[in-house]
Amino acid sequence: MKPRVLVTNDDGIQAPGLRCLVAHLCEDSDLLVVAPERQQSAVGHSITLHKPLRMDLTPLAGLPVRAFQSNGTPADCVVLGALSHTGPVDLVVSGINAGANLGEEVFYSGTVSAALEAAIQGIPAFAISLADKENGSFEPAARLARRLVGFVLELGLPRGTLLNVNVPGLPLERQAPPVVTRLGRSCYANQIEERKDPWGRSYFWFSGEPEEVDSGPGTDIGAVAEGRTSITPMHTDLSDDSLVEKLRAQQDGLAARLMETVGDGNREGW
Ligand code: MN
């Protein structure tokens, strides 16, 4: 029996990256597509609690799959696909995103958040992004995704984990072999641009180029810069183990300080 694979994305159900992914996965897998009805990039892990969620059957022209468009976010789409009437899901694949999701960008990414939501739901998942959206074709990433589906299903992933995959915009033949990486770090310089509207009031644009602060060996940023596909295992546990250890060693002092009653509680005028 074919595995049941739920496909979603954050670029919207009509995005070329999703169509290309579906075209490559539909032979080996029983696909269910639940994706946002419109562009939702950079929505992060938001979910919808204050309005009804819709899930409307939508033909994906030429592709033999059941596809639903939703007014929800990428994370909503995973919950809808996994828990609605459509039956159990073996794997979630999110993408193929137009543009990289490297380093700290994963916190903003709807693509990665969909895979994180799957991990929270206890379903193995990977997010896949085309790092060079200007020049690259989605084909190489889709071919890799097809092979990765088989690999992940055989390997299995521990609960609460996922893979974040970034594919350079090069034909597979010209790519160096994929590597397993960790998240690098990047921050944006000159991030806010202030302008004036016709009435003289300020408005702001986020702008600036990413300034890489950790793109060295072993990072996803470094791998993609070398023309390699990066495969970064991630987990939903954001605890900082080394800081946990360090603070635990000072726990008594910390607790005493936080519980001190002689202080702001007794201060007059508060
Ligand atoms: Mn996107």
Side-chain angles (χ1 to χ4, degrees), residues 10-11 39-42 97-99 101 110-111:
D10 75 355
D11 293 336
Q39 175 61 249
Q40 297 250 6
S41 292
N97 189 59
N101 280 304
T111 308

Side-chain angles (χ1 to χ4, degrees), residues 7 18 26 33 36 41 50 86 89 103 124 128 166 171 195 225 243:
V7 171
L18 180 133
C26 66
V33 178
S41 292
H50 303 293
T86 48
V89 169
I128 183 160
N166 281 272
R195 299 185 191 172
L243 192 53

